[in-house]
Amino acid sequence: MLRRRTLAAGVLAAIAGRAQAQSRTTVQFGILTALSGPLAAPGKFQMNGFNLAVDELNEGGGIEVGGRRLRAELKTYDTRGNPAEGSSAMQRLCSVDRVPVVLGELSSAVVPAVAPIAEENEVPFVMTVPTGPSLTKQRNRWVFRVNAHNDQLGRSIADFVVQRDWKPLAFIAWNNDAGRGGVQGIRDALPPGFPIAYTGFFNVGEVDFSAHITNIRNAGAKAVMLFMDEEPGSLAISQIRAAGLQVQLIGTLAMGSDRFLQRLDAQRLNGMVQYNAFPPNAPIPRIQAFSQRYRARFNEEAHGFAAQSYDGLMMAAAAIRAANSVEGKRVRDALARITHEGVTGTLRFDAEGQANPPVYVTEWCADGRRSILFPPDLAAACGAG
């Protein structure tokens, strides 16, 4: 009798699920990002990528599920980069909005608060910006990441630093998981015994880097790696240049955009290198096509965070199509097996839910353009980065 009741319940659930799918006219993608607070600037790029993807999906007729074309929509919550607000928003997306997939976030610190909720509710969560390496190493099969993490990014920069013989090396980094993880990733990727002159950390909101600059000068560093985003990065570079400190500057992908140039000037950036997930002017058809569409939509140069977020949402849409379902578990299983040709490169998740997109190293030129230095087969002169 119990078995019959169980089977009957399963049949009823399946019928209810089909009825719900047949009555559905839209697919809502849950979005977590920073719309306000100290991370609002990169949050804008993340949202631009999501919005462009949704626009293009709908212009193409929507997402086909069960023989019907469903319109794509975003259900967005502002986390302010705060774990408590991220947790609350994720819970709402799963239990109230009942979205089939959640994407985004900017802060690596928010993800540990979000990931268990994704697992508990069986809703896949796709990161498009956070770089903490440990985030995809928690044996949580509901967590995925389309962008490279710090160890992947660090290997490229570390190889480049060794090649250029920039030693001893110094660091100024955020005093958080992203900053500390980034420093550790570089150190682990460098050859044993590679000299590190100085490592200094700062808290979000700090604006005075003079003590770090003095320590770097006294330590005799030849190069300094800045693990930070646009606002503190522009302040640190201005103060380093104003102090007359002659060191090679190395930055993150947040410091490789035209928007970052607007905060400074070409003279102060000249010769600085940074790892880059998406050099918007690279002579690669998929990159050029996206950059043109992005500029037409937002009237500005394309940004790596936007490209990664565009790819994340397009990959989630592809998984919904492959699963022919908006049920979280089926979408998760489809995400785990599909290969997606994105604008950042070919994306496929490994057993830990981590993609392995290409990583570039670009350099600022004296005229305010950028060149591509790495990988060697894509090296190109000023204007290509």
Side-chain angles (χ1 to χ4, degrees), residues 252-273:
T252 63
L253 61 85
M255 301 177 202
S257 69
D258 187 57
R259 178 187 170 96
F260 190 63
L261 175 64
Q262 295 170 16
R263 289 180 174 269
L264 293 164
D265 58 64
Q267 191 58 43
R268 281 182 285 182
L269 288 177
N270 184 28
M272 178 179 179
V273 303

Side-chain angles (χ1 to χ4, degrees), residues 104-342:
E105 196 38 52
L106 287 157
S107 171
S108 293
V110 174
V111 178
V114 166
I117 300 171
E119 184 176 31
E120 178 183 350
N121 289 275
E122 297 189 336
V123 174
F125 173 57
V126 182
M127 293 179 277
T128 67
V129 172
T131 55
S134 66
L135 301 179
T136 48
K137 298 182 183 297
Q138 304 304 311
R139 299 184 179 179
N140 185 337
R141 59 195 295 268
W142 297 89
V143 173
F144 300 87
R145 174 162 46 195
V146 297
N147 58 294
H149 58 63
N150 280 332
D151 290 351
Q152 294 168 314
L153 297 167
R155 280 194 292 271
S156 298
I157 279 290
D159 289 346
F160 198 78
V161 166
V162 172
Q163 181 186 98
R164 294 296 176 97
D165 198 31
W166 288 338
K167 60 185 181 185
L169 178 65
F171 297 95
I172 307 176
W174 265 322
N175 187 23
N176 58 22
D177 290 347
R180 290 186 176 276
V183 171
Q184 192 59 52
I186 296 283
R187 297 187 70 142
D188 290 345
L190 289 169
F194 192 93
I196 304 298
Y198 170 75
T199 302
F201 296 97
F202 71 99
N203 295 317
V204 173
E206 290 186 33
V207 297
D208 183 0
F209 296 91
S210 58
H212 298 295
I213 293 169
T214 298
N215 291 335
I216 290 169
R217 188 194 304 276
N218 292 341
K222 189 171 183 178
V224 57
M225 176 81 199
L226 305 173
F227 272 107
M228 52 190 78
D229 68 7
E230 288 183 7
E231 186 171 357
S234 62
L235 291 172
I237 292 168
S238 295
Q239 292 172 34
I240 287 170
R241 296 305 197 202
L245 184 60
Q246 299 300 312
V247 291
Q248 171 65 46
L249 297 176
I250 308 168
T252 63
L253 61 85
M255 301 177 202
S257 69
D258 187 57
R259 178 187 170 96
F260 190 63
L261 175 64
Q262 295 170 16
R263 289 180 174 269
L264 293 164
D265 58 64
Q267 191 58 43
R268 281 182 285 182
L269 288 177
N270 184 28
M272 178 179 179
V273 303
Q274 50 277 317
Y275 57 68
N276 201 318
F278 187 80
N281 303 306
I284 302 171
R286 59 180 165 75
I287 290 179
Q288 290 185 337
F290 177 82
S291 295
Q292 291 166 6
R293 299 197 307 273
Y294 187 93
R295 184 174 288 279
R297 174 74 165 78
F298 301 107
N299 195 33
E300 64 182 15
E301 183 183 79
H303 190 280
F305 289 172
Q308 291 166 183
S309 299
Y310 174 94
D311 274 353
L313 196 138
M314 284 300 199
M315 198 169 186
I320 290 172
R321 282 193 294 267
N324 197 32
S325 172
V326 290
E327 195 264 315
K329 185 177 186 304
R330 293 185 180 181
V331 176
R332 191 227 77 87
D333 292 345
L335 277 169
R337 68 173 182 266
I338 65 173
T339 298
H340 179 70
E341 296 300 327

